[in-house]
Amino acid sequence: MWKRVKRYKYIYLLAFPAALYFLVFKYVPMWGILLAFQEYSPFRGFWNSEWVGFEHFAHLFASNQFWNLFRNTLLINLFGLVFFFPLPIALSLMLNEVGRESVKRVIQSIIYLPHFLSWVIVVSFTYFFLSVDFGLVNKVFAALGWDKISFMSDPNYFWGLLTAQSIWKEVGWGTIIFLAAIAGVDPQLYEAAYVDGAGRLRRIWHITLPAIR
């Protein structure tokens, strides 16, 4: 092994930063899973806290709220798959159809921006728009003579509200990988399809989507 390392030392050196990244930020934090089996105390530290085995898990499964939590977790992820997953694909297809590169870059910058905002800011925006007391949406409802809606405290709106927040924050960033796939498509395929009489939707269906897949 050491002979191979010595022989290909520059290749291993090239891979070292990536390996170090995964070691420090992916593997080392996995030790934190042990906290689930401890009665953790910040004063005692990670190694000196009392070990309680599966006590926390037994408490969770015996809780009256367990099935409610379990249902919420499944439905939130299901909402994400159904509503969030297709949107970056659709958005990348629309961006790809924008003819002027300058306009496309401006649109991309705008839709990427929410990804860099913290969730605290996202929730603040949500509160500003949907609050019962001074939310912009409820002010419009009041001006129209409609009843105000308690979006933030009504459980019936929780799943949709959380999904909408995730979509607004991450849908633009999710287009990056699909736009990269589209950029790798041979332009001659589009030209040949155009010559054969394929319209824009046909070119998307038979060339762009298979390329993304």
Side-chain angles (χ1 to χ4, degrees), residues 149-159 161:
I149 300 176
S150 181
F151 294 102
M152 305 290 289
S153 59
D154 191 334
N156 295 321
Y157 295 105
F158 173 71
W159 300 330
L161 186 59

Side-chain angles (χ1 to χ4, degrees), residues 2-181:
W2 291 113
K3 288 182 179 179
R4 287 179 58 83
V5 171
K6 185 176 181 181
R7 182 178 180 182
Y8 300 109
K9 56 182 178 293
Y10 294 113
I11 295 178
Y12 284 110
L13 187 63
L14 187 65
F16 178 74
L20 185 64
Y21 164 78
F22 278 97
L23 178 65
V24 173
F25 293 104
K26 301 295 184 180
Y27 286 95
V28 172
M30 290 179 67
W31 284 100
I33 296 174
L34 295 177
L35 292 177
F37 305 96
Q38 291 180 327
E39 189 65 50
Y40 178 73
S41 170
F43 301 103
R44 294 183 180 180
F46 185 78
W47 297 110
N48 295 322
S49 295
E50 179 184 0
W51 292 88
V52 294
F54 289 95
E55 180 180 328
H56 298 313
F57 294 92
H59 178 73
L60 173 65
F61 295 138
S63 171
N64 294 330
Q65 294 297 321
F66 171 72
W67 290 110
N68 189 34
L69 297 171
F70 185 70
R71 180 197 62 178
N72 285 342
T73 302
L74 288 181
L75 286 175
I76 288 170
N77 282 276
L78 180 62
F79 273 47
L81 285 174
V82 173
F83 297 106
F84 177 77
F85 177 73
L87 288 178
I89 301 175
L91 189 56
S92 62
L93 292 175
M94 289 188 288
L95 282 173
N96 188 57
E97 295 301 316
V98 177
R100 297 181 60 178
E101 286 296 324
S102 58
V103 176
K104 183 187 294 187
R105 284 196 294 268
V106 171
I107 296 173
Q108 284 179 296
S109 300
I110 294 172
I111 63 175
Y112 290 168
L113 182 62
H115 170 77
F116 299 100
L117 301 178
S118 71
W119 275 105
V120 176
I121 297 177
V122 174
V123 173
S124 299
F125 281 151
T126 306
Y127 188 78
F128 174 76
F129 280 102
L130 301 180
S131 170
V132 176
D133 298 325
F134 57 86
L136 187 60
V137 174
N138 277 307
K139 283 185 176 180
V140 173
F141 286 172
L144 294 173
W146 300 348
D147 294 332
K148 293 184 177 181
I149 300 176
S150 181
F151 294 102
M152 305 290 289
S153 59
D154 191 334
N156 295 321
Y157 295 105
F158 173 71
W159 300 330
L161 186 59
L162 187 60
T163 304
Q165 288 176 326
S166 300
I167 289 173
W168 182 79
K169 188 176 188 300
E170 300 295 345
V171 69
W173 189 254
T175 62
I176 290 178
I177 188 170
F178 300 114
L179 286 172

